[in-house]
Amino acid sequence: NEYICRKYLTMTMEIDLIIEKKLQEAFDISELKKRLPKEDFERIIKAEQKIIFKKGDVLFGNEERSKGVYVVEKGMIKLSKLGVFGKEQILRFIKEGDLIGYRSLLCSENLKAKAEAMTDVETTFIPADIFLYLVERDSKLSYALLQKFAYELGESSNRITLLAQKTVRERLAEIFLILERRLGKDAEGYINITLTREEIANLIGTATESAIRLISEFKNDNLISVDGRNIKIINHDKLMKLGNCC
């Protein structure tokens, strides 16, 4: 069982990397120059903008009209929306090499979430008309976006299952594994994101007090190591079993 769990985790991480690599290649300037006619390429170069956001800055808000897409060059972004009672619901985290703002453009609707910088963030902004023109003209970019759409649809389906069918303990175990897989680890092995206990509770759909108690239990059971807001997974196999991840 431990071997199967490890193999499942490895395969999932590999799929993540493949999707990310293809998307990064699709938007790479040197690659675009090779694939596109000179006139199209020059149009992109003139239109794109380098935009820097400070920690806490909002890139765009819920129900705003999408003006374009952001390619994240450096930093971390939190994507969230307000629930029925005005409570923030975290949707996902955006890291370096990722792209945000494209779904609303392709669906011709207003933005359905808020994007907030969790760290200082460096981005390349591509205006809406240029992005849509690229999607129509560049098959490699279109295919990379299609793969990303399909992958994120699967992730959304998994999240529904996570929240609807698993206990809070199982949800917490799985969310730590997901965060490590999606965001990576630092040199000391800690997950590459610092979250408040309230944000962790938000991710697994429980009260902050319950999240605090479970994190303490996980720490005492030597499943994780905690240093302030930093979390390091110590025993992946037990955490996967606890989360019924395979």
Side-chain angles (χ1 to χ4, degrees):
N1 285 340
E2 288 185 6
Y3 170 75
I4 293 173
C5 286
R6 282 281 183 180
K7 188 174 182 181
Y8 170 79
L9 184 61
T10 301
M11 287 176 63
T12 308
M13 290 177 69
E14 287 175 352
I15 293 170
D16 276 353
L17 292 172
I18 290 170
I19 298 293
E20 288 175 10
K21 185 178 179 181
K22 287 188 176 181
L23 189 67
Q24 289 170 12
E25 288 177 351
F27 280 94
D28 182 78
I29 288 297
S30 60
E31 291 296 318
L32 282 171
K33 187 175 183 179
K34 293 177 184 177
R35 297 198 307 269
L36 296 174
K38 183 179 179 181
E39 183 180 334
D40 289 348
F41 179 73
E42 289 178 351
R43 184 179 175 187
I44 294 167
I45 294 299
K46 289 178 182 178
E48 70 174 19
Q49 306 170 46
K50 299 293 182 181
I51 304 178
I52 296 175
F53 297 92
K54 294 294 183 182
K55 181 179 179 180
D57 286 351
V58 175
L59 284 73
F60 54 75
N62 187 41
E63 293 302 335
E64 287 184 5
R65 184 175 63 84
S66 181
K67 299 176 182 177
V69 300
Y70 296 89
V71 180
V72 183
E73 308 290 350
K74 185 177 180 181
M76 187 84 66
I77 296 167
K78 177 173 68 177
L79 205 62
S80 65
K81 66 187 305 180
L82 293 180
V84 178
F85 301 106
K87 185 178 180 181
E88 181 188 55
Q89 177 63 56
I90 298 172
L91 302 177
R92 61 191 178 95
F93 298 101
I94 313 297
K95 62 176 182 176
E96 295 175 17
D98 214 337
L99 178 76
I100 54 170
Y102 63 90
R103 195 199 66 81
S104 296
L105 273 182
L106 294 175
C107 294
S108 300
E109 63 181 23
N110 288 341
L111 293 154
K112 298 302 179 183
K114 180 179 80 171
E116 179 183 345
M118 297 190 71
T119 63
D120 289 348
V121 172
E122 296 177 12
T123 69
T124 297
F125 177 74
I126 303 174
D129 59 332
I130 299 298
F131 173 73
L132 294 173
Y133 180 78
L134 265 177
V135 171
E136 291 179 357
R137 299 277 293 195
D138 188 354
S139 59
K140 183 171 184 177
L141 186 145
S142 299
Y143 185 63
L145 283 172
L146 186 62
Q147 284 187 309
K148 185 170 177 61
F149 260 131
Y151 179 75
E152 289 182 352
L153 183 62
E155 290 281 283
S156 296
S157 177
N158 291 338
R159 181 165 175 77
I160 291 171
T161 302
L162 173 72
L163 292 174
Q165 299 182 10
K166 295 195 174 186
T167 66
V168 177
R169 183 182 295 273
E170 289 172 334
R171 298 201 294 264
L172 183 61
E174 185 167 354
I175 207 68
F176 283 150
L177 291 163
I178 290 172
L179 288 173
E180 184 188 74
R181 171 169 57 83
R182 290 281 295 133
L183 307 177
K185 300 179 289 185
D186 65 16
E188 296 180 1
Y190 288 95
I191 299 172
N192 271 329
I193 192 170
T194 55
L195 297 173
T196 66
R197 299 300 185 258
E198 184 179 3
E199 287 173 324
I200 293 174
N202 181 306
L203 283 170
I204 60 174
T206 192
T208 304
E209 295 76 14
S210 297
I212 292 171
R213 176 176 53 80
L214 285 171
I215 289 170
S216 180
E217 290 180 10
F218 280 19
K219 180 182 177 182
N220 292 336
D221 291 341
N222 292 317
L223 297 175
I224 62 171
S225 174
V226 180
D227 181 12
R229 295 182 178 181
N230 298 304
I231 303 288
K232 174 164 60 176
I233 297 176
I234 296 175
N235 194 320
H236 288 79
D237 292 332
K238 286 186 177 180
L239 209 59
M240 289 190 77
K241 284 183 179 179
L242 180 59
N244 284 321
C245 301
C246 57

